[in-house]
Amino acid sequence: EGMALPRRIFLPEKMCMGWQQRPGAGLFNLGNTCYINVILQCLTYTPPLANYLLSHKHSQSCQQQGFCMMCTMEAHVRKVLCSSASVILPGAVLRDLKFIGEEFEYGRQENAYEFLRCTLSAMHRACLSGRPNSNVSSQETTIVHRIFQGFMKYRVTCLSCQAVADSYKAFLDVSLDIRVRASSLITVLEDCVTPKQLDQKECFRCSKCKKKAAASKKVTVHHAPRVLTLCLERADQWTGTKISKFVEYPEYLDLRPYMSDTAGEPLLYSLYALVVHSGDTCLDGHFFCYTKASNGLWYKMDDESVDNCDIHTVLGQQAYLLFYAR
């Protein structure tokens, strides 16, 4: 309700979710650029995105004048996965940092999650560039949306007459509050889909009762994305201190119990990348990541270092960002 169906720009018959690429190069850290490196590595090992970028489909038809994030990512992924170098410099990304996000300042430690959001937004803008009547806020679907976008459903129920009102919102990632009852990712997700009574500040006027009434709200995933990106919020919104608790997360995740329609077959996702933040506060410290290559092996990627590791090591981390693929 209230949301038009997006027009589709990228519509292949079938999107390839598998791939065959060897583990690639590490990335030089030029001083507080680890937040950039981890996101570039996680995106590089996102199978449907890597397949699309390696196909040159975007650059072959790109009409963008000047900086283009899709062309930049295309060149970067090819360099990481196809060159013989063990370490490369993500020079184009560093050079054009201000075009990705105005808030980023070279040489200053930034948040990896914010860089991810800005990078996906810049890629989306690049896909829309050169197309008539397109703008950043349009509902047109790009390759970014085809891979990362899902839809949430918000159902508000009047506690007086039981009338319901549904609304929907698109998302590219999901932020999860881990402060309370957060021993595992499953516990957090179960809490998210549990109906909660609206407080007095959230005024609800029932369309059936025609008056303000007490109500509850339930949030579910209405349309599941091909790639599910989860952010475990580790900065306490009240104190700003880092939440360092360990939150257990699975290698394989069934999203079906958290969907609007819980009937049907399991909706299975496989973990393929995660970002870890080390440090006492969220304002400093260091980012590194773990990624799963197409050979099925996991690698710890810490700037220049790329080292093989096992799944037990991967699942034992204090995760900040989790990437799951259908």
Side-chain angles (χ1 to χ4, degrees):
E1 290 183 1
M3 175 178 284
L5 287 174
R7 285 172 48 200
R8 290 178 173 173
I9 290 177
F10 179 79
L11 184 57
E13 289 300 315
K14 184 178 181 180
M15 182 172 290
C16 183
M17 295 296 288
W19 66 330
Q20 293 183 350
Q21 288 291 333
R22 66 175 181 81
L27 303 179
F28 283 114
N29 187 331
L30 297 187
N32 290 327
T33 58
C34 58
Y35 74 95
I36 296 173
N37 289 347
V38 292
I39 297 306
L40 292 178
Q41 293 288 34
C42 290
L43 293 178
T44 297
Y45 290 88
T46 298
L49 179 62
N51 286 333
Y52 178 77
L53 294 173
L54 290 171
S55 73
H56 293 290
K57 287 182 180 179
H58 177 82
S59 60
Q60 289 173 356
S61 60
C62 181
Q63 302 177 33
Q64 175 84 317
Q65 298 298 317
F67 172 73
C68 172
M69 191 63 198
M70 286 299 292
C71 288
T72 297
M73 284 299 298
E74 187 176 289
H76 174 80
V77 169
R78 178 162 290 276
K79 191 174 181 181
V80 168
L81 296 179
C82 301
S83 74
S84 59
S86 60
V87 187
I88 69 166
L89 176 68
V93 176
L94 297 174
R95 182 183 64 246
D96 295 315
L97 197 56
K98 287 294 184 182
F99 292 105
I100 300 173
E102 294 181 356
E103 66 271 33
F104 299 125
E105 184 175 321
Y106 181 73
R108 185 179 67 190
Q109 179 68 288
E110 305 281 1
N111 190 301
Y113 176 49
E114 293 305 319
F115 185 73
L116 170 65
R117 293 173 65 92
C118 288
T119 297
L120 294 181
S121 178
M123 292 168 65
H124 176 61
R125 293 196 302 270
C127 292
L128 293 176
S129 177
R131 300 182 184 275
N133 303 318
S134 293
N135 57 68
V136 177
S137 62
S138 75
Q139 289 293 311
E140 293 181 286
T141 298
T142 65
I143 179 64
V144 175
H145 288 169
R146 292 275 291 165
I147 295 173
F148 295 95
Q149 183 173 264
F151 287 86
M152 289 292 190
K153 178 179 180 179
Y154 299 84
R155 167 160 289 187
V156 178
T157 303
C158 175
L159 298 181
S160 177
C161 70
Q162 301 303 308
V164 298
D166 293 336
S167 60
Y168 304 87
K169 184 178 181 181
F171 68 87
L172 296 180
D173 59 78
V174 180
S175 292
L176 299 172
D177 187 347
I178 62 172
R179 290 174 301 169
V180 183
R181 291 182 297 168
S183 60
S184 70
L185 177 63
I186 301 303
T187 304
V188 177
L189 293 175
E190 288 174 348
D191 182 67
C192 287
V193 299
T194 301
K196 298 176 179 60
Q197 187 166 342
L198 299 178
D199 58 36
Q200 295 180 348
K201 295 180 180 179
E202 298 181 87
C203 180
F204 172 72
R205 182 176 292 275
C206 179
S207 59
K208 186 176 180 180
C209 296
K210 304 300 182 183
K211 63 180 181 180
K212 293 181 182 179
S216 66
K217 180 169 70 175
K218 182 178 182 178
V219 182
T220 53
V221 179
H222 193 68
H223 173 73
R226 286 178 170 84
V227 169
L228 177 66
T229 306
L230 304 174
C231 175
L232 306 184
E233 298 177 353
R234 293 201 171 273
D236 190 289
Q237 60 180 325
W238 303 112
T239 65
T241 57
K242 181 181 176 181
I243 302 173
S244 298
K245 68 164 66 175
F246 174 73
V247 178
E248 184 181 1
Y249 48 93
E251 181 180 7
Y252 300 101
L253 174 67
D254 180 11
L255 202 63
R256 178 62 65 188
Y258 319 108
M259 299 289 293
S260 301
D261 182 6
T262 57
E265 297 180 352
L267 194 57
L268 295 178
Y269 284 77
S270 176
L271 182 70
Y272 73 89
L274 66 144
V275 171
V276 180
H277 174 267
S278 64
D280 297 328
T281 75
C282 295
L283 300 178
D284 55 22
H286 179 63
F287 290 102
F288 57 94
C289 66
Y290 293 82
T291 62
K292 186 178 183 180
S294 63
N295 58 10
L297 299 179
W298 280 92
Y299 294 85
K300 179 182 179 181
M301 298 193 166
D302 190 349
D303 292 328
E304 296 90 348
S305 301
V306 177
D307 299 309
N308 184 269
C309 64
D310 58 35
I311 186 61
H312 301 292
T313 299
V314 172
L315 297 178
Q317 300 302 310
Q318 192 184 106
Y320 177 41
L321 301 176
L322 296 166
F323 295 81
Y324 286 90
R326 288 270 287 271

